[in-house]
Amino acid sequence: MKTIDHLLAEKLLGISAIKLQPDNPFTWASGWNSPIYTDNRKTLSYPDIRTFIKVELCRMIMENFPEVDAVAGVATGAIAQGALVADELNLPYVYVRSSPKDHGLENLIEGNLMPGQKVVVIEDLISTGKSSLKAVEAVRNAGCEVVGMAAIFTYGFPEAEEAFRNASVQLCTLGNYNTMLEVAVETEYIRASDVETLKEWRTNPSEWTPVSR
C-alpha cells in the first residue's frame, strides 16, 4: 500500500506542480539556482487532487492538533487550501498577508481571530521557513497560540528545520523531498544518476552551482 507522501509525490509530479530540471536549473526570486520548482497552487485546478490534499491535511491536523479551534492560511499560496481545510473542519478562518495592506485598515491578518484561540497555520510549501514563521509571529502577536503548522510539501532544508525548532513550532507535512525523489526515479521523470545532484543542491541551496555535463 502506497503511503500518503508517495501518493502526493505522484500527483504533484503528474501535473507539474513540481518540476525537476537538474540539467537546466531554474532561478528563484531569491537569485538561487535550483533544479526544482514547486507551485502547489496548480493543485487547485484538479478537483481530485485538491480534495485529496484537503482531506489529508484535515486528517493530519486532527491527529496532531486536535485542540485546534481556528485555521490561518499563509498568503498567497495557502489562502485557498487553508479555506478549504477550515470549511471541512467547520472552524473559523483567517489568512496572513506577507506585509500589512498599505491602505484602509492596514491589516496584516484578514479575518477575525480571538485572543486565546488555538490556531493551526496552513502552508503550501516550506522552503527556508522565513515567510511561514513570519505568519506564525503575526498570529502570536494577535494573542493566539499557534499549536502547529500543517503544510503540503517541504524541501527539508536544514536551516528551515532549525528555524522551526528555534521558534517552537511543530511542523507536519504531507509530502517531502526524499520521497519525491524516489517517486521521480520510479516513474522515470528523472534518471537515477540525477539523484545525487538533487540531494547535493538541498544541502546548500544558496551556494549550489549546476555542473555542466
Side-chain angles (χ1 to χ4, degrees):
M1 183 176 177
K2 294 180 180 179
T3 58
I4 296 302
D5 55 352
H6 191 287
L7 289 169
L8 179 67
E10 289 181 341
K11 295 175 188 297
L12 297 182
L13 289 166
I15 62 170
S16 295
I18 291 179
K19 292 185 177 181
L20 298 171
Q21 295 180 185
D23 292 332
N24 183 28
F26 303 94
T27 301
W28 285 3
S30 61
W32 291 4
N33 292 309
S34 172
I36 182 172
Y37 188 80
T38 304
D39 182 4
N40 287 327
R41 283 169 289 204
K42 283 192 172 185
T43 63
L44 298 169
S45 298
Y46 299 84
D48 57 333
I49 299 177
R50 183 179 69 213
T51 299
F52 171 83
I53 290 173
K54 176 189 71 174
V55 169
E56 293 305 328
L57 281 173
C58 289
R59 190 194 318 277
M60 187 165 64
I61 289 168
M62 296 316 297
E63 288 177 355
N64 293 278
F65 314 114
E67 69 273 36
V68 61
D69 49 30
V71 173
V74 180
T76 59
I79 291 177
Q81 199 67 59
L84 291 168
V85 167
D87 188 62
E88 184 74 12
L89 295 176
N90 195 31
L91 292 174
Y93 177 67
V94 302
Y95 71 85
V96 185
R97 292 177 173 272
S98 57
S99 59
K101 281 198 302 187
D102 58 4
H103 61 279
L105 297 177
E106 300 182 349
N107 292 336
L108 180 58
I109 297 176
E110 297 291 359
N112 291 320
L113 281 178
M114 302 296 292
Q117 283 184 311
K118 293 177 169 55
V119 180
V120 167
V121 178
I122 304 294
E123 185 62 285
D124 68 320
L125 174 67
I126 306 296
S127 54
T128 64
K130 290 179 181 178
S131 59
S132 306
L133 291 173
K134 187 177 178 182
V136 168
E137 182 181 12
V139 172
R140 286 172 170 170
N141 288 342
C144 297
E145 177 186 351
V146 175
V147 294
M149 181 176 292
I152 298 173
F153 188 79
T154 180
Y155 291 131
F157 292 151
E159 66 177 281
E161 294 175 352
E162 181 180 4
F164 275 88
R165 284 194 299 272
N166 291 340
S168 299
V169 177
Q170 182 181 347
L171 172 65
C172 296
T173 66
L174 295 180
N176 61 80
Y177 192 74
N178 287 340
T179 300
M180 183 274 299
L181 289 184
E182 292 173 6
V183 173
V185 173
E186 289 173 9
T187 57
E188 298 184 344
Y189 189 105
I190 59 173
R191 303 176 298 255
S193 58
D194 291 325
V195 172
E196 193 59 37
T197 297
L198 288 156
K199 287 184 175 180
E200 181 184 272
W201 166 78
R202 190 178 60 174
T203 62
N204 192 10
S206 63
E207 302 296 329
W208 181 79
T209 301
V211 177
S212 299
R213 298 193 182 223

